C-alpha cells in the first residue's frame, strides 16, 4: 500500500477535490447516487467544502480527505449526521478507482472509528451500502459493522433504484 495521510478537510482542498471527483465520477456513479452536474465546477465544489466545514464547526460532521505522499487527493472519508444527544453518526467514504483494493477504505474507516471514539465520544456508528457492492460491504464487516435492516431503493445507480442494507457498529464494545 502507498503512503498516505488522512486529515480534516480544509478550504484549500477545493481544487484538488474537484479534480478527484471529476477523475472518478463514472466510477462513483456505478456504485452510489450521482451528484448534480453543477457540483462539478470550482464554484460547486467550493460551496460543498464551505458547507462541510460549516457543519464541522457546528459539530454535525467531521469531513476528511486522504492524500498520498505527493499530496494528491486519493479519497475521502466522513463522519456525518453527528448527534451528540444519541452519540451516533453515519460514516461514508469514497476511494479513487486507482486506489481501490489496496486497503485504503479499511484504513479510512478505521480512522473514522478512532475519531468517533476519541474526538467525538460517540457510542455507535451506522453506514449504508447497496446490495452488490461487495467491496464496501467487506470493508464494513472487516471493521466490525454488522448488517442490519434492508433499505429498499437506497440509491439511484445508472438511473435505476437499487436496494441496500444498513450496517451498525457499537463502539462501546470496542473498548
Amino acid at each position: 500500500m502507498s503512503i498516505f495521510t488522512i486529515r480534516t478537510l480544509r478550504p484549500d482542498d477545493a481544487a484538488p477535490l474537484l479534480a478527484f471527483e471529476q477523475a472518478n465520477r463514472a466510477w462513483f456513479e456505478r456504485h452510489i447516487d450521482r451528484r448534480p452536474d453543477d457540483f462539478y465546477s470550482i464554484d460547486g465544489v467550493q460551496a460543498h467544502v464551505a458547507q462541510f466545514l460549516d457543519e464541522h464547526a457546528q459539530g454535525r460532521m467531521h469531513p476528511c480527505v486522504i492524500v498520498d505522499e505527493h499530496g494528491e487527493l486519493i479519497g475521502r472519508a466522513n463522519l456525518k449526521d453527528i448527534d451528540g444527544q444519541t452519540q451516533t453518526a453515519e460514516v461514508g467514504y469514497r476511494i479513487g478507482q486507482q486506489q481501490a483494493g489496496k486497503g485504503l477504505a479499511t484504513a479510512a474507516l478505521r480512522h473514522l472509528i478512532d475519531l468517533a471514539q476519541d474526538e467525538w465520544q460517540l457510542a455507535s456508528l451506522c453506514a449504508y451500502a447497496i446490495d452488490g457492492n461487495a467491496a464496501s460491504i467487506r470493508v464494513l464487516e472487516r471493521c466490525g459493522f454488522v448488517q442490519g435492516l434492508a433499505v429498499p431503493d437506497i440509491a439511484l445507480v445508472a438511473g435505476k433504484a437499487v436496494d441496500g442494507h444498513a450496517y451498525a457498529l457499537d463502539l462501546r464494545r470496542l473498548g
Side-chain angles (χ1 to χ4, degrees), residues 116-159:
Q117 290 179 297
D118 301 339
E119 189 164 329
W120 296 96
Q121 288 79 48
L122 299 178
S124 65
L125 296 174
C126 70
Y128 298 91
I130 65 170
D131 294 341
N133 188 345
S136 192
I137 292 166
R138 271 193 311 277
V139 168
L140 290 168
E141 291 175 345
R142 185 178 299 130
C143 290
F145 281 75
V146 176
Q147 182 177 313
L149 296 175
V151 182
D153 299 338
I154 196 170
L156 281 175
V157 177

Side-chain angles (χ1 to χ4, degrees), residues 112-122 171-172 174-175:
L112 294 178
I113 291 167
D114 289 344
L115 280 175
Q117 290 179 297
D118 301 339
E119 189 164 329
W120 296 96
Q121 288 79 48
L122 299 178
L171 296 171
R172 296 166 294 199
L174 299 180

Side-chain angles (χ1 to χ4, degrees), residues 3 7 9 15 23 26 34 45 49 108 126 132 147 175:
I3 298 170
R7 61 167 173 76
L9 180 71
R34 69 185 308 268
V45 172
V49 168
C126 70
Q147 182 177 313

Side-chain angles (χ1 to χ4, degrees), residues 93 95 103-111 113 138-140 142-143:
Y93 44 87
I95 305 302
L104 195 59
T106 299
L109 185 52
R110 287 185 176 140
H111 180 80
I113 291 167
R138 271 193 311 277
V139 168
L140 290 168
R142 185 178 299 130
C143 290

Side-chain angles (χ1 to χ4, degrees), residues 62-86:
H62 196 125
C64 298
V65 294
I66 307 162
V67 294
D68 69 13
E69 65 268 24
H70 307 292
E72 183 178 342
L73 201 147
I74 56 174
R76 306 179 64 179
N78 300 310
L79 280 176
K80 55 188 180 177
D81 299 328
I82 296 172
D83 186 328
Q85 293 282 43
T86 61

Side-chain angles (χ1 to χ4, degrees), residues 30-46:
R30 291 198 320 229
H31 304 285
I32 54 178
D33 285 331
R34 69 185 308 268
R35 293 187 184 277
D37 290 338
D38 61 357
F39 171 84
Y40 295 96
S41 68
I42 193 63
D43 289 340
V45 172
Q46 285 174 332

